[in-house]
Amino acid sequence: MKVQGVIFDMDGLMFDSEKLYYQANLAAARQMKLDYSDDYYERFIGASDEDLMAFFREAFGSEAQVQQFMQVTYQAIDDAIHHGQLQKKPGLDELLTYLAQQHIDKAIASSNYKTKISDFLTATQMASQFPTIISMDDVAKGKPAPDLFKAALTALGTPAQQTLVLEDSLNGLLAAQAAGIPCIIVPDLIKPTAQMQAQALAIMPDLFAVRDFIKSNA
């Protein structure tokens, strides 16, 4: 496929932020003396905060506890960003440079909110590189619903089969499939499952490999 547009997930794909979220969740749970299983985090990688909070309302049994948990988590994330702990994923700069050289359009479609996306891009000096950003502020449902990717595709104006979604999660892959857009998985915290291997266009080790894939199909 000759790629005309690329839609980036953000957390775990562009930035090594899933680890920061996980560590922040653990710290919040310890501070509040709440039970917190690894499974809680893993099942919602790539999903929206609404889905996460709905689960926590049932798990924690209190809306006030959920709100406090999220507040403590976000404060920990803000502190980590302030202390320079947010790192780009290997190959991100090189991929973005290649896309710019080839005039290939790009967008971010993230289950996060615009304020947090802006914080991440500003902290990594990337705010000017993504004029098109679709966030949970823009759609009714997050991943695995296709809303984010459909909106990003419309904004880019590229054909679905010449557009590439880059994701790290099953929720993101399912969303891309539902939107009718080919998806490459670059794994982060979760190893690719058999379902991901069967349904993704490809599974690649890093964004360097994605750049080389796009080059080879130019």
Side-chain angles (χ1 to χ4, degrees):
M1 61 179 289
K2 181 175 174 61
V3 177
Q4 297 183 26
V6 179
I7 301 174
F8 288 75
D9 174 48
M10 188 181 75
D11 291 304
L13 187 283
M14 291 175 57
F15 302 114
D16 197 14
S17 50
E18 294 290 6
K19 290 179 183 177
L20 295 183
Y21 283 116
Y22 176 65
Q23 291 164 359
N25 282 170
L26 287 178
R30 284 195 300 267
Q31 179 177 325
M32 297 174 63
K33 296 180 172 56
L34 297 171
D35 288 332
Y36 186 85
S37 165
D38 286 350
D39 178 61
Y40 288 1
Y41 189 80
E42 291 179 4
R43 76 173 68 183
F44 288 103
I45 289 177
S48 68
D49 276 359
E50 281 84 356
D51 292 333
L52 183 65
M53 290 174 70
F55 175 79
F56 281 154
R57 286 187 190 98
E58 181 174 345
F60 295 162
S62 165
E63 177 68 24
Q65 281 191 320
V66 173
Q67 293 296 332
Q68 183 183 355
F69 180 83
M70 298 304 290
Q71 183 179 0
V72 173
T73 293
Y74 282 135
Q75 184 58 57
I77 293 295
D78 290 343
D79 291 344
I81 293 173
H82 179 72
H83 288 95
Q85 296 176 23
L86 180 66
Q87 301 296 318
K88 298 177 187 178
K89 282 290 192 168
L92 177 60
D93 286 335
E94 291 79 4
L95 173 56
L96 292 176
T97 296
Y98 178 75
L99 296 181
Q101 291 170 344
Q102 300 302 311
H103 306 288
I104 297 174
D105 294 329
K106 60 187 181 296
I108 290 174
S110 171
S111 295
N112 223 315
Y113 289 95
K114 271 200 170 65
T115 53
K116 190 59 63 181
I117 296 170
S118 177
D119 288 346
F120 281 21
L121 295 178
T122 299
T124 52
Q125 292 82 50
M126 297 178 64
S128 64
Q129 296 202 44
F130 285 94
T132 302
I133 297 173
I134 308 297
S135 72
M136 281 304 300
D137 302 280
D138 304 307
V139 298
K141 293 182 179 179
K143 305 167 190 176
D147 303 32
L148 285 161
F149 290 139
K150 284 184 174 181
L153 186 67
T154 298
L156 288 178
T158 53
Q161 290 306 306
Q162 275 69 56
T163 304
L164 190 60
V165 166
L166 304 181
E167 266 287 353
D168 67 297
S169 71
L170 177 59
N171 283 321
L173 172 60
L174 295 175
Q177 282 197 310
I181 309 170
C183 178
I184 287 178
I185 292 291
V186 182
D188 183 35
L189 295 184
I190 305 299
K191 291 182 179 180
T193 63
Q195 180 182 3
M196 294 167 77
Q197 292 173 345
Q199 297 180 359
L201 176 66
I203 295 176
M204 297 187 175
D206 53 38
L207 296 175
F208 288 112
V210 174
R211 177 200 58 187
D212 294 342
F213 171 85
I214 297 173
K215 275 186 178 182
S216 68
N217 288 275

